[in-house]
Amino acid sequence: ALLDLSGVHEMKATWMGSTILPCSYVPSEGFMQQTLSWSLERDYSISTIFRRDSSGDHVLLSRFRDRVSVPKDSPGNASLLMENLEITDSGHYTCQITWRSENNSLVTKEVTTAVKVLKVAATKPIIRAGELGLRVPAGARTSLTCEASGSPPISYRWFRSTPEGEALLLSRQAELAWDNLHPSDSGRYYCEATNR
């Protein structure tokens, strides 16, 4: 069929995680996409959360600002990426696209997805231990990576133990990297993973 939108009817997503609501079509000669919008129906009210038109992309509901986006450079892909999901994001999402044909008539199609945001059983982070005792030549570049499983989001901190038994905070990233190792970088390093 010409210009059919494809999506899914329902999907589950995880609280505090991210998800992609699929909405796509095969671009067709003679049809120019004019507008693309995503709206949310919840508790019997409908509000537009995202709109793309000739003036650009607009997030119309403040609670979705910095949390939703639609791919820019892939024609035919109108999927909605949603991040940091809240329980209140559950509802019916409708992707609606309007095209203009060569004879200037407008064609509109839409597809609706029911989204349920679920809490998963909270699990504390478990760090997979790496091998102990890493030998690296001076002047080399290397990195230590902290990997933990558990309920997202997980934040990481790297520390170095001092001879006095104190902990020096070195990084708030999962990876601790050195461009040029010195003998003075020898020591004990450890990682801490935290979630809610």
Side-chain angles (χ1 to χ4, degrees):
L2 187 65
L3 289 177
D4 246 357
L5 283 185
S6 61
V8 293
H9 290 304
E10 55 184 355
M11 56 191 294
K12 291 182 168 67
T14 307
W15 176 63
M16 293 309 294
S18 60
T19 191
I20 292 175
L21 276 55
C23 177
S24 60
Y25 65 92
V26 178
S28 184
E29 243 183 273
F31 286 91
M32 231 3 236
Q33 180 179 304
Q34 293 288 293
T35 59
L36 178 170
S37 71
W38 276 95
S39 57
L40 166 62
E41 181 185 355
R42 183 183 163 84
D43 304 329
Y44 306 107
S45 73
I46 298 179
S47 26
T48 300
I49 56 177
F50 179 92
R51 182 178 166 88
R52 172 177 292 168
D53 54 29
S54 55
S55 68
D57 288 5
H58 311 280
V59 178
L60 304 171
L61 276 187
S62 58
R63 74 180 184 94
F64 286 102
R65 205 148 287 149
D66 301 324
R67 293 203 298 127
V68 298
S69 59
V70 172
K72 277 208 164 44
D73 302 314
S74 43
N77 184 358
S79 302
L80 185 71
L81 167 65
M82 298 179 68
E83 299 175 280
N84 295 327
L85 289 164
E86 296 292 346
I87 297 296
T88 52
D89 291 339
S90 297
H92 289 81
Y93 288 80
T94 299
C95 169
Q96 185 188 73
I97 298 182
T98 300
W99 298 269
R100 183 178 294 280
S101 69
E102 283 169 331
N103 64 8
N104 270 342
S105 63
L106 295 177
V107 178
T108 299
K109 293 276 173 79
E110 58 183 43
V111 59
T112 298
T113 303
V115 176
K116 184 99 180 102
V117 179
L118 306 166
K119 279 195 179 181
V120 287
T123 53
K124 72 178 190 176
I126 297 170
I127 298 176
R128 204 186 63 193
E131 58 210 84
L132 292 167
L134 184 64
R135 290 180 171 281
V136 188
R141 50 187 345 185
T142 190
S143 64
L144 296 172
T145 303
C146 193
E147 277 182 71
S149 57
S151 306
I154 299 177
S155 58
Y156 297 94
R157 295 195 301 175
W158 273 102
F159 295 92
R160 179 177 180 176
S161 300
T162 65
E164 298 78 44
E166 289 172 24
L168 278 170
L169 175 62
L170 300 175
S171 165
R172 292 183 181 278
Q173 308 292 327
E175 186 179 49
L176 183 62
W178 292 265
D179 282 335
N180 183 0
L181 281 166
H182 298 286
S184 60
D185 291 321
S186 298
R188 290 179 70 90
Y189 295 84
Y190 66 92
C191 158
E192 177 187 87
T194 316
N195 64 4
R196 288 189 171 190

